[in-house]
Amino acid sequence: QEHTSMAEQPGALHLYPPSRGRFAVPRDHFRFTSAAQFDLTYLTYDAFARDARSPVLFYAGNEGAVELFYNNSGALFTLASRLGARLLF
């Protein structure tokens, strides 16, 4: 019996390739005295969605790279497939 290590198993990025997008957001969310901005990256996966009224499952990330959370959130993909939902990270 052959054993596959966790490092060799494909993650969600490989199993469910996302669409990527970016949008600019203000760097200062309190004073608005600066025009400085940074790009916020988001990932979406629509293959489970049935139509325009399908639910959206939204993962509000943390301080790390969005790809890490996407790649390690297998349960959300299982739930999305059962609900016919879109995913937004």
Side-chain angles (χ1 to χ4, degrees), residues 21-77:
R22 294 177 188 262
F23 61 93
V25 296
R27 187 171 292 165
D28 184 346
H29 295 282
F30 300 101
R31 292 181 297 257
F32 302 103
T33 57
S34 170
Q37 297 181 327
F38 68 95
D39 282 345
L40 189 71
T41 300
Y42 63 91
L43 305 176
T44 61
Y45 188 73
D46 292 346
F48 301 128
R50 295 184 186 116
D51 57 37
R53 295 175 44 116
S54 294
V56 176
L57 301 182
F58 174 65
Y59 183 93
N62 295 300
E63 298 288 326
V66 68
E67 292 84 2
L68 294 175
F69 299 108
Y70 187 97
N71 206 41
N72 292 297
S73 298
L76 282 176
F77 291 91

